[in-house]
Amino acid sequence: MTSPHRLDLPHAPALELRGHTFDSSRPAVMAIINRTLDSFWSGNRHAAIDDALSALDAAVECGADIVDVGGVRAGHEGEVVTISEEIDRVVPFLERARSTYPQLILSLDTWRSEVAEAAAGTIDLVNDTWAGYDPELVQVAARIGAGVVCSHTGGLPPRTDPVGMRYVDAQGDDELAVVRDVLRGLAKGAEQARTAGVAPERILVDPTLDFGKTTRHSLTTLRHTADIAALGYPVLQALSRKDFVGETLDLEADDRLEGTLAATAIAAWLGASVFRAHDVRATRRVVDMVASIRGDRPPALRVRGEPIGQ
């Protein structure tokens, strides 16, 4: 009979924002609020500000630690949104959110430096899902004291869907070429953020599944979450109801919750500690359960067979 041994599980460094610390023992759930009419999932279209504020209240009640606010659909099929229109969609809402929840971590999902500048004073994090397409964005984040999400899009410009994407490097066109590209891209983005003046504990790395990736690429990258955690920065996984889940299971966005939660559990086990999610309550329960299975988080209750007084 073999003897059990201690598990050597991956641990990324902690994320620190607005006086909160998140790591494998206290994973963070990032709720999504889209100020749009055309988000890919109809369950998260909050163009009316009262509707968005109701969604904010619900997210907080369900256990969100961070709220990520966006004003433009990521895909190419969405409507054209100018810089001024994007500002009008997100800034008034962020101001209301900050006054209502002073300690809540607020994130802005944008690739435009002008939008981040307009949101100065309300946001704690800039979620740049287009991998530094606007080189001024990280400079703005550093200047206003916000953290940064560094992403990987395979070199594609904003709102470009991945059609016929291939990853080839000196080691060949194998399934790990995409992982090597992700690691190089995230390391470069994080270094640029540090050079701009963003503290390392406020830098998140996000492999950005679906963006610049086929479903096969996304599944491979997800399997290698531990390698991303080894870069030395907190890891964000944005998995919620994405196309790689839909294509894997042949399901439309409305039916992708279970697949999303399976991917979430795997990512949490492999070292991710921040999870961008539409379904906040379900995600909260999954990541807390995984944290406890890993041994990083104690159970909320200890009554089943525990000695009295312990």
Side-chain angles (χ1 to χ4, degrees):
M1 182 177 68
T2 60
S3 178
H5 57 87
R6 187 174 296 277
L7 294 174
D8 184 19
L9 295 171
H11 289 81
L15 171 69
E16 297 182 14
L17 292 171
R18 192 167 279 272
H20 301 281
T21 300
F22 304 101
D23 56 19
S24 59
S25 66
R26 189 191 174 195
V29 177
M30 174 190 279
I32 304 166
I33 295 182
N34 290 323
R35 300 294 327 281
T36 63
L37 288 170
D38 58 355
S39 295
F40 83 95
W41 182 48
S42 61
N44 203 307
R45 296 172 184 170
H46 303 294
I49 194 163
D50 287 344
D51 183 36
L53 290 169
S54 294
L56 172 66
D57 292 338
V60 172
E61 192 278 328
C62 288
D65 304 291
I66 306 169
V67 172
D68 191 40
V69 181
V72 185
R73 178 174 174 166
H76 76 282
E77 295 179 353
E79 62 180 314
V80 174
V81 180
T82 66
I83 291 172
S84 62
E85 288 172 332
E86 186 180 356
I87 290 171
D88 288 344
R89 289 180 176 190
V90 299
V91 171
F93 173 78
L94 286 165
E95 291 172 346
R96 293 279 296 274
R98 173 58 64 225
S99 64
T100 305
Y101 297 101
Q103 297 308 311
L104 182 65
I105 298 170
L106 295 178
S107 171
L108 173 63
D109 178 2
T110 189
W111 73 88
R112 292 163 162 166
S113 57
E114 298 91 342
V115 181
E117 190 79 67
T122 64
I123 58 173
D124 306 293
L125 185 67
V126 175
N127 183 9
D128 178 12
T129 51
W130 289 102
Y133 179 79
D134 179 348
E136 293 299 315
L137 183 56
V138 69
Q139 304 291 336
V140 171
R143 187 162 61 249
I144 68 176
V148 172
V149 176
C150 301
S151 60
H152 174 273
T153 62
L156 296 183
R159 308 193 72 185
T160 303
D161 285 343
V163 177
M165 288 294 296
R166 292 184 63 213
Y167 288 90
V168 181
D169 59 19
Q171 298 180 61
D173 181 17
D174 60 35
E175 73 165 13
L176 296 184
V178 63
V179 179
R180 290 190 288 266
D181 200 88
V182 167
L183 295 174
R184 285 192 297 268
L186 294 181
K188 178 180 178 182
E191 183 57 35
Q192 289 172 337
R194 295 183 69 157
T195 299
V198 182
E201 64 271 16
R202 298 203 304 271
I203 297 172
L204 277 159
V205 290
D206 174 10
T208 327
L209 307 189
D210 273 4
F211 286 54
K213 300 171 191 67
T214 65
T215 290
R216 180 176 61 85
H217 292 146
S218 290
L219 291 171
T220 299
T221 302
L222 177 60
R223 285 196 293 274
H224 287 268
T225 298
D227 292 316
I228 297 165
L231 288 172
Y233 298 94
V235 177
L236 165 68
Q237 281 283 17
L239 309 165
S240 189
R241 298 180 181 268
K242 280 192 167 180
D243 283 348
F244 83 94
V245 176
E247 289 191 4
T248 299
L249 301 176
D250 190 16
L251 295 172
E252 296 299 321
D254 283 349
D255 293 320
R256 297 175 186 173
L257 175 58
E258 296 90 348
T260 295
L261 296 178
T264 297
I266 295 297
W269 184 258
L270 294 175
S273 56
V274 184
F275 300 86
R276 188 174 184 269
H278 297 99
D279 305 278
V280 173
R281 192 188 305 277
T283 304
R284 171 86 276 154
R285 290 171 176 171
V286 166
V287 299
D288 285 349
M289 188 69 190
V290 172
S292 295
I293 296 171
R294 280 173 50 107
D296 297 324
R297 172 188 179 273
L301 298 175
R302 300 186 63 177
V303 296
R304 185 176 178 82
E306 294 286 349
I308 294 175
Q310 294 190 11

